[in-house]
Amino acid sequence: KSVGCRMIGTVSTQKKAELAMENGCEFTINYKEEIISEKVMEITKNKGVPVVYDGVGKDTFDESIKSLSTRGLMVSFGQSSGMVEKIDMHKTFNPKSLFYTRPSLMGYTLNREELTNCSNKLFEKMKNKEVRPNIYKKFKLEEAKEAHVTLQSRESSGSIILQP
């Protein structure tokens, strides 16, 4: 939203929907109760969206693809519901000439200059209150096991921090 995008958030609970709205989403779709692509097409008047950022993975991948407009970009950056199984590239991406990427933070911060540049942009947006931190919970380092259980449960909504 801080760069001018209109956002539709996909969520699995009402609590996460409220959090998404508080953080700039205009619409939310509960993928446990609604069909994502149908709601996206309703919201966009059957145009679809130019880009999807999917951090869920297996549970939302197909619906994310169906939600894209022609020449849309699928950004798959997570797999909280599990890894996507095999993909038929021709069947999945050809009909709408879609683009696909699987970025990682390390690929965008290959050296100190890139890391500093990315960090400075983020902290400037935070300073200007365009982006707000969302810390779910802080754990002591000796509670790392509990932190991982919380993360894997998908009950958290925000960052989990390990403190020394």
Side-chain angles (χ1 to χ4, degrees):
K1 182 154 184 159
S2 74
V3 296
C5 295
R6 297 179 68 200
M7 297 189 312
I8 302 170
T10 56
V11 299
S12 58
T13 67
Q14 181 59 35
K15 182 179 177 185
K16 289 181 179 181
E18 292 165 10
L19 183 61
M21 296 295 278
E22 289 170 16
N23 284 281
C25 287
E26 288 183 50
F27 304 93
T28 60
I29 301 168
N30 185 327
Y31 62 85
K32 300 282 187 183
E33 299 172 358
E34 302 173 287
I35 298 171
I36 295 170
S37 60
E38 288 179 6
K39 290 297 289 182
V40 166
M41 291 306 169
E42 178 184 315
I43 292 165
T44 64
K45 298 178 176 57
N46 289 319
K47 292 180 183 175
V49 293
V51 64
V52 169
Y53 294 92
D54 190 327
V56 176
K58 183 177 68 175
D59 287 355
T60 57
F61 183 85
D62 290 335
E63 283 298 305
S64 292
I65 293 292
K66 290 178 191 175
S67 299
L68 287 165
S69 60
T70 300
R71 294 183 304 276
L73 171 63
M74 172 65 162
V75 182
S76 175
F77 67 92
Q79 62 271 343
S80 62
S81 68
M83 289 295 294
V84 175
E85 298 290 323
K86 295 178 182 177
I87 301 168
D88 180 334
M89 297 295 283
H90 180 74
K91 180 181 163 192
T92 304
F93 297 100
N94 258 26
K96 293 196 269 183
S97 298
L98 300 177
F99 295 88
Y100 177 81
T101 187
R102 178 83 177 158
S104 70
L105 180 60
M106 299 307 179
Y108 285 84
T109 55
L110 294 175
N111 56 49
R112 184 69 182 177
E113 181 182 353
E114 288 181 343
L115 176 62
T116 301
N117 186 37
C118 287
S119 298
N120 287 342
K121 284 180 183 178
L122 174 60
F123 292 134
E124 186 66 26
K125 286 188 174 292
M126 290 175 80
K127 187 171 85 176
N128 293 335
K129 306 221 185 299
E130 296 173 66
V131 174
R132 297 183 313 216
N134 179 22
I135 299 170
Y136 177 76
K137 189 170 181 182
K138 296 179 183 180
F139 290 90
K140 294 180 181 168
L141 191 54
E142 56 266 17
E143 299 172 320
K145 181 179 178 181
E146 183 184 343
H148 279 279
V149 169
T150 301
L151 184 62
Q152 291 171 338
S153 75
R154 295 179 57 199
E155 292 300 316
S156 62
S157 52
S159 298
I160 291 176
I161 297 175
L162 290 177
Q163 297 177 311

